């Protein structure tokens, strides 16, 4: 029969591990992601999303600006299609930071990771990023437009 003190010590160790795990999770959630931590593909996607926001605010055609950046009308068109699919699927308006900001909004961080998974053709990784944010019946369309856009801007 185990003594009461050893059971208490085990409970204390378990509580300490749980507390440390929670503290680590809280600390991780408090860190603001940086653009420089993203892959090149993720950075390009985030900067393109920011450019789309500027064009929308300035009432300019984003296709012209994206074509200049990507060097291809096709890449620009495919990225606009991805951004439109994202806008229709996302639960709230996509929040973007200023182009000069080295930090990412939560939405931009998700876009950067989505871009990386789409560029790698990783449907499961992509779905894990948007799971709970986007209805499951919209995952395939969003993934397909992201794959096409990331292939074109690479």
């Amino acid at each position: 029969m185990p003594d009461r003190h050893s059971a208490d010590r085990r409970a204390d160790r378990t509580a300490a591990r749980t507390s440390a795990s929670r503290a680590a999770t809280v600390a991780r959630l408090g860190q603001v992601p940086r653009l420089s931590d993203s892959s090149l593909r993720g950075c390009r996607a985030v900067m393109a999303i920011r450019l789309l926001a500027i064009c929308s605010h300035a009432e300019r055609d984003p296709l012209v600006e994206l074509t200049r950046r990507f060097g291809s009308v096709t890449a620009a068109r495919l990225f606009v299609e991805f951004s439109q699919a994202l806008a229709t699927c996302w639960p709230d308006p996509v929040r973007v930071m200023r182009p000069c900001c080295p930090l990412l909004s939560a939405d931009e961080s998700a876009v950067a990771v989505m871009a990386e998974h789409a560029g790698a053709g990783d449907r499961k990784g992509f779905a894990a990023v948007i799971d709970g944010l986007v209805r499951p019946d919209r995952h395939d369309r969003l993934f397909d437009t992201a794959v096409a856009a990331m292939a074109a801007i690479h």
Side-chain angles (χ1 to χ4, degrees):
M1 176 172 188
D3 75 35
R4 197 186 89 182
H5 295 293
S6 64
D8 288 345
R9 284 191 297 264
R10 277 194 304 271
D12 288 344
R13 283 192 304 266
T14 301
R17 281 193 303 267
T18 302
S19 178
S21 174
R22 286 183 184 148
T25 300
V26 168
R28 190 179 70 249
L29 291 173
Q31 294 175 346
V32 179
R34 300 185 66 80
L35 185 60
S36 60
D37 295 336
S38 299
S39 67
L40 178 60
R41 185 178 284 126
C43 287
R44 291 190 84 186
V46 168
M47 293 309 292
I49 290 285
R50 289 177 178 184
L51 183 61
L52 286 170
I54 290 169
C55 289
S56 174
H57 182 73
E59 298 179 359
R60 295 184 69 178
D61 183 5
L63 204 54
V64 173
E65 298 301 325
L66 286 174
T67 299
R68 284 187 193 144
R69 297 315 188 277
F70 296 148
S72 164
V73 174
T74 302
R77 183 184 52 77
L78 290 170
F79 195 84
V80 168
E81 287 176 13
F82 165 64
S83 70
Q84 289 169 341
L86 182 66
T88 60
C89 295
W90 215 247
D92 296 313
V94 175
R95 183 169 178 260
V96 298
M97 304 298 261
R98 294 178 186 267
C100 59
C101 186
L103 304 178
L104 297 175
S105 70
D107 293 338
E108 289 174 328
S109 181
V111 167
V113 177
M114 289 165 54
E116 189 57 35
H117 287 295
D122 180 7
R123 188 178 294 271
K124 287 183 181 179
F126 187 92
V129 174
I130 60 175
D131 191 39
L133 292 171
V134 175
R135 291 184 353 212
D137 62 310
R138 295 179 174 184
H139 285 200
D140 288 339
R141 177 174 180 261
L142 189 56
F143 178 75
D144 292 341
T145 60
V147 166
M150 295 312 116
I153 69 171
H154 182 61

